[in-house]
Amino acid sequence: MREIGVPHPRLPLPAAGGEDDMAAFLAWLGEAIPMVGGLGIREMTRDDDRLTWQLALTPNLNDKGTGFGGALAAQTTLLGWCWTTLWLRRRGLARDVVVAEATQRFLAPVTGDYRLVCEPEADDGPASLAERLELRGKGRIALVQRLWCGDTLCLEARGDYAVLPEA
């Protein structure tokens, strides 16, 4: 059981040059952030600079039988946090990440199971973040999340994620 004000232990970093086991990361995430267990995340995959979740709609229904905007907004924010955290972990860095700003545009109702895709807003975003971390010990990256229900783009979100200096 999580306690208020007590940080959850970090997941050990992967071996040098290694990749995270996505299932193990997702299991840790569910322990670290209790609401994750109720989000309906079925699978998490990474392809280069793209992180994707496959999700079930049922745990995220609203009173109209479609996707609840608050749950979808929380998912986009959390997916961006995961993208940034996993990016850091691949570089052997265990750092705190926070969302600094987030916006969402709801484009169509979510009427079935869906996927959320997160990637950098700018092609040079990861390189710029790496440079700022090297020079200043902290940095930010802008990420875009898109929610697809089949071939329909239902939600587009943007978030700025800050990597805090080492404690």
Side-chain angles (χ1 to χ4, degrees):
M1 173 69 76
R2 290 295 317 278
E3 293 183 39
I4 296 171
V6 177
H8 189 71
R10 290 185 191 271
L11 184 65
L13 289 170
E19 294 287 326
D20 271 293
D21 174 335
M22 291 293 129
F25 181 83
L26 196 52
W28 171 84
L29 189 65
E31 295 168 6
I33 303 173
M35 71 178 263
V36 167
L39 294 179
I41 303 168
R42 293 185 187 176
E43 182 183 19
M44 179 168 62
T45 57
R46 191 179 64 75
D47 181 24
D48 292 324
D49 276 339
R50 181 175 289 152
L51 185 64
T52 302
W53 281 351
Q54 301 291 335
L55 297 110
L57 176 58
T58 304
N60 302 293
L61 287 172
N62 65 15
D63 58 317
K64 295 164 217 48
T66 60
F68 173 57
L72 305 177
Q75 290 168 1
T76 63
T77 302
L78 182 58
L79 183 59
W81 181 92
C82 288
W83 187 100
T84 308
T85 299
L86 288 164
W87 183 89
L88 289 164
R89 290 174 57 77
R90 285 194 314 272
R91 283 147 188 82
L93 300 171
R95 301 285 289 278
D96 286 330
V97 175
V98 296
V99 61
E101 184 178 342
T103 59
Q104 301 86 29
R105 283 187 16 207
F106 296 88
L107 305 169
V110 178
T111 58
D113 293 347
Y114 54 99
R115 72 186 179 284
L116 264 174
V117 180
C118 180
E119 57 194 343
E121 183 176 62
D123 290 340
D124 67 344
S128 294
L129 176 58
E131 182 179 328
R132 284 191 299 272
L133 288 172
E134 181 70 28
L135 294 173
R136 299 184 191 137
K138 63 182 181 176
R140 278 184 153 189
I141 188 164
L143 300 172
V144 175
Q145 301 89 20
R146 292 180 180 91
L147 186 156
W148 296 89
C149 189
D151 293 330
T152 303
L153 178 61
C154 298
L155 167 64
E156 189 168 58
R158 182 192 178 282
D160 284 336
Y161 294 84
V163 178
L164 303 180
E166 288 185 274

